[in-house]
């Protein structure tokens, strides 16, 4: 390392280049040809670069490199290089040293920069013990951001054709670098139209979104492996998103390891400034807490916001059904659009079909077949959509009927060691949630829960109770290992609570609330 002390001085002021205006910056566009795709086992066999100054192509750099290993038939066919012409050329470390001398403190640019920089960093680390630390612009990321909707391909050949560059990529280092430099100039113009002024703006536009989000992963440090809910907050402390998890640590880390997020969640991650989490004793309790927070906070990034005030019922009006917010046995229904389509399907139906919509399905399906046979395809398509909506409404009403009659107690671990939580379901609602302590205190809590549950079966479900019941039904259909279900009998509830396994997660459960900043 001491043999090349000057290399350690190269690019020391590279951080200052980030604040430099784009028109004042000097760029060096580089392209490599290599013996393979993996920096650890493959070596550089050619370096090509061109300096861009004052928005014009200037000095060029081209150097063949002796990789010290055979090229292989596939690489020779792709590049036109052969082992004989590389033999005796500079070693990769010496070649990179010359390239760094040519680069100086300019901003590096490459097409798919992660590939080229991985090889250059490997050799630089051998020389200096450290990797290059200066700004790098990736024309792939820049093109994907600036040309979104205009072209779906960001390969070098595709962009060269799109912009009509004079240099044509041919899998040789210098021609490919020249083509990339021409593409860079075009992209800089587009970036400036979007308000990019400095090199930092250019680097930010070129950076993959997942990498920007990944930098915020430290916000999730310290999250426990316990069930709970989490809230994404922006710098104004506004809640952007609410979620729940069986394992808070794993769930929060997953947001920073993948770019497959819904657009609203992705936007929330970019605005994210702080993560707050609240530990619960079980996933069931976390789901109910999430529902409560969604109703209270209505975060902008949540696709499933609980809005009972928008749920509707179906009721008779003459010889048809209409949507209403007045409670009836036919509801509540969360989709107004689906409810309206179902009502249209039942226009003019007999009285018994209006009272029991499922009876109309055989008649409507026969009508659909008749329209298709008569080639009245537009009428058939409209009826098909109405039948599909009615079928979904019928399934939903059957589900609600079961929930209306449900009477049980869900028993899950509490946050406090040795305690349990009893969730009492009766009267078409979550009637009570009680904490059951060890010992005789549990009997008093169970009796209080049973007293709150001593109501009859209602004629209809209230809209504000629907989402909680649907959460409960989900866990009843697919119960987690820690869940116990008992009838509304004090002895059975106490017995199940005593046999409950310990709470989930390996973290301390004494704190009901934790934060990461």
């Amino acid at each position: 390392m001491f043999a090349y002390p000057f290399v350690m001085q190269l690019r020391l002021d590279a951080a200052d280049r980030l604040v430099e205006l784009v028109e004042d910056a000097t760029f060096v566009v580089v392209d490599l040809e290599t013996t393979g795709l993996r920096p650890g086992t493959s070596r550089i066999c050619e370096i090509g670069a061109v300096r861009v100054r004052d928005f014009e192509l200037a000095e060029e750099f081209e150097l063949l490199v002796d990789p010290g290993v055979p090229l292989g038939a596939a690489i020779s066919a792709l590049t036109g290089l052969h082992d004989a012409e590389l033999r005796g050329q500079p070693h990769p470390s010496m070649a990179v040293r010359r390239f760094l001398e040519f680069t100086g403190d300019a901003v590096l640019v490459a097409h798919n920069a992660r590939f080229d920089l991985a090889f250059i960093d490997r050799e630089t680390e051998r020389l200096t013990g450290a990797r290059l630390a200066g700004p790098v612009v990736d024309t792939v990321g820049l093109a994907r951001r600036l040309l979104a909707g205009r072209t779906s391909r960001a390969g070098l050949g595709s962009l060269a054709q799109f912009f009509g560059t004079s240099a044509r990529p041919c899998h040789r280092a210098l021609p490919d670098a020249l083509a990339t430099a021409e593409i860079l100039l075009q992209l800089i113009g587009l970036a400036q139209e979007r308000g990019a002024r400095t090199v930092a703006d250019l680097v930010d536009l070129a950076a993959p979104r997942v990498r920007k989000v990944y930098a915020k992963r430290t916000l999730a440090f310290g999250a426990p492996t316990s069930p709970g809910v989490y809230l994404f907050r922006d710098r104004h402390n506004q809640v952007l998103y609410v979620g729940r998890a069986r394992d808070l640590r794993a769930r929060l880390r997953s947001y920073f390891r993948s770019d497959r997020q819904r657009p609203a969640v992705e936007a929330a991650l970019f605005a994210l400034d702080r993560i707050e989490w609240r530990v619960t004793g079980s996933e069931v309790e976390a789901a109910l807490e999430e529902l409560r927070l969604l109703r209270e906070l209505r975060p902008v990034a949540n696709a499933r916001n609980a809005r009972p005030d928008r749920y509707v019922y179906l009721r008779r009006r003459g010889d048809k059904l209409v949507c209403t917010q007045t409670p009836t046995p036919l509801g509540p229904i969360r989709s107004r659009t689906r409810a309206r389509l179902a009502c249209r399907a039942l226009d003019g139906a007999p009285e018994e079909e209006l009272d029991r919509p499922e009876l109309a399905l055989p008649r409507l399906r026969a009508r659909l077949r008749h329209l298709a046979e008569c080639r009245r395809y537009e009428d058939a398509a409209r009826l098909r959509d109405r039948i599909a909506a009615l079928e979904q409404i019928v399934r939903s009403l059957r589900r609600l009927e079961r929930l209306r009659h449900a009477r049980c107690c869900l028993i899950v671990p509490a946050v406090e060691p040795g305690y349990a939580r009893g969730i009492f379901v009766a009267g078409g609602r979550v009637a009570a949630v009680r904490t059951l302590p060890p010992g005789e205190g549990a009997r008093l809590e169970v009796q209080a829960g049973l007293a709150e549950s001593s109501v009859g079966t209602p004629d209809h479900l209230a809209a504000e109770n629907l989402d909680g019941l649907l959460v409960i039904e989900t866990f009843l259909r697919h119960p987690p290992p820690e869940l116990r279900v008992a009838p509304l009998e004090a002895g059975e509830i106490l017995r199940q609570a005593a046999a409950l396994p310990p709470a989930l997660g390996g973290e301390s459960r004494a704190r009901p609330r934790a934060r990461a900043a």
Side-chain angles (χ1 to χ4, degrees):
M1 185 170 74
F2 62 86
Y4 306 106
F6 75 93
V7 180
M8 301 183 67
Q9 303 302 319
L10 290 176
R11 304 170 62 79
L12 289 181
D13 61 345
D16 297 335
R17 297 304 186 203
L18 286 172
V19 297
E20 193 172 21
L21 295 177
V22 173
E23 55 267 28
D24 297 333
T26 299
F27 302 91
V28 168
V29 184
V30 61
D31 186 84
L32 305 181
E33 298 301 326
T34 63
T35 61
L37 302 178
R38 305 184 68 176
T41 57
S42 305
R43 307 295 292 274
I44 300 171
C45 60
E46 187 180 26
I47 303 177
V50 57
R51 195 185 311 278
V52 177
R53 186 191 299 113
D54 298 327
F55 294 150
E56 292 186 358
L57 275 60
E59 301 86 1
E60 299 175 0
F61 176 92
E62 184 175 23
L63 184 64
L64 293 177
V65 182
D66 185 354
V69 295
L71 283 183
I75 299 298
S76 291
L78 183 67
T79 63
L81 296 172
H82 300 281
D83 293 327
E85 60 185 308
L86 298 180
R87 197 172 297 119
Q89 299 293 340
H91 185 271
S93 295
M94 181 60 69
V96 168
R97 177 189 177 193
R98 293 184 184 178
F99 166 70
L100 293 177
E101 289 177 328
F102 173 80
T103 301
D105 56 6
V107 178
L108 280 179
V109 181
H111 197 75
N112 190 17
R114 291 181 66 185
F115 176 82
D116 296 281
L117 266 293
F119 283 89
I120 294 174
D121 277 338
R122 184 173 179 82
E123 299 302 331
T124 305
E125 199 166 9
R126 289 178 178 176
L127 289 171
T128 69
R131 298 184 176 188
L132 298 179
V136 178
V137 177
D138 188 346
T139 49
V140 170
L142 204 56
R144 285 175 176 163
R145 177 66 65 84
L146 298 174
L147 300 178
R150 297 175 61 185
T151 178
S152 59
R153 298 181 177 180
L156 186 58
S158 299
L159 292 178
Q161 184 175 6
F162 181 84
F163 286 118
T165 61
S166 57
R168 292 297 178 183
C170 59
H171 292 290
R172 290 298 299 269
L174 183 57
D176 288 3
L178 290 168
T180 303
E182 293 186 57
I183 291 168
L184 172 69
L185 293 177
Q186 297 284 346
L187 293 175
I188 287 176
L190 295 174
Q192 289 178 317
E193 291 176 6
R194 291 201 180 191
R197 296 181 60 253
T198 65
V199 171
D201 295 333
L202 211 59
V203 172
D204 186 63
L205 280 172
R209 293 193 170 195
V210 66
R211 195 177 303 169
K212 294 181 189 177
V213 171
Y214 183 73
K216 297 185 178 184
R217 68 193 185 281
T218 55
L219 296 177
F221 286 1
T225 59
S226 313
V229 295
Y230 53 90
L231 298 85
F232 289 171
R233 295 182 181 270
D234 64 13
R235 59 190 180 92
H236 304 293
N237 209 36
Q238 177 73 28
V239 176
L240 305 170
Y241 183 78
V242 171
R244 76 170 191 259
R246 185 173 180 83
D247 182 332
L248 283 168
R249 178 182 298 173
R251 183 69 185 102
L252 290 174
R253 286 181 176 181
S254 71
Y255 283 106
F256 307 101
R257 293 176 176 172
S258 172
D259 58 352
R260 295 182 180 179
Q261 307 289 350
R262 290 188 297 104
V265 176
E266 185 177 349
L269 289 171
F270 275 103
L272 178 63
D273 184 69
R274 183 167 65 90
I275 299 175
E276 176 185 334
W277 54 78
R278 303 175 185 180
V279 175
T280 61
S282 68
E283 193 179 4
V284 180
E285 193 177 351
L288 292 175
E289 177 67 6
E290 177 196 32
L291 179 61
R292 184 186 70 80
L293 292 172
L294 289 176
R295 286 182 178 177
E296 291 182 2
L297 303 175
R298 295 186 180 178
V300 294
N302 283 88
R304 185 181 61 84
N305 269 328
R307 296 291 303 272
D309 56 308
R310 303 190 64 182
Y311 299 168
V312 297
Y313 299 80
L314 304 182
R315 71 176 177 88
R316 290 272 301 276
R317 179 186 289 174
D319 62 346
K320 62 182 180 179
L321 290 179
V322 296
C323 298
T324 178
Q325 289 192 309
T326 303
T328 74
L330 299 179
I333 299 165
R334 294 194 288 180
S335 171
R336 290 191 176 197
T337 300
R338 191 176 299 150
R340 291 192 183 103
L341 285 173
C343 289
R344 289 173 189 164
L346 293 169
D347 280 351
E351 185 173 343
E352 61 271 17
E353 292 182 1
L354 296 179
D355 292 332
R356 298 180 59 192
E358 67 272 16
L359 298 178
L361 289 173
R363 175 179 61 82
L364 293 173
R365 290 167 183 152
R367 174 65 176 164
L368 179 61
R369 288 193 296 270
H370 174 72
L371 291 175
E373 290 169 358
C374 294
R375 299 185 179 181
R376 294 170 57 183
Y377 298 123
E378 292 184 3
D379 293 336
R382 281 193 292 270
L383 183 58
R384 176 202 61 203
D385 294 341
R386 293 173 184 177
I387 290 174
L390 182 59
E391 288 172 337
Q392 290 178 307
I393 294 293
V394 167
R395 286 195 294 270
S396 176
L397 292 176
R398 289 172 179 166
R399 186 181 183 187
L400 297 182
E401 184 66 13
R402 292 193 299 270
L403 293 175
R404 190 165 62 90
H405 290 87
R407 293 181 61 82
C408 61
C409 180
L410 284 70
I411 306 158
V412 292
V415 172
E416 301 84 0
Y419 284 64
R421 296 279 277 177
I423 302 169
F424 296 79
V425 179
R429 62 192 175 96
V430 177
V433 180
R434 311 294 297 189
T435 300
L436 312 181
E440 285 302 312
R443 185 174 296 276
L444 295 176
E445 292 293 335
V446 169
Q447 289 174 349
L450 290 175
E452 294 180 70
S453 306
S454 58
V455 293
T457 302
D459 295 331
H460 59 267
L461 285 179
E464 61 269 18
N465 297 329
L466 174 61
D467 293 299
L469 286 174
L470 293 177
V471 167
I472 295 298
E473 188 212 27
T474 299
F475 287 100
L476 290 176
R477 283 191 291 114
H478 304 287
E482 70 276 9
L483 173 64
R484 299 291 184 269
V485 182
L488 294 181
E489 298 174 2
E492 185 61 20
I493 294 173
L494 290 170
R495 188 182 70 81
Q496 295 282 11
L500 203 64
L504 298 175
E507 305 289 340
S508 171
R509 306 307 300 255
R511 295 177 300 163
R513 181 186 180 101
R515 294 191 180 193

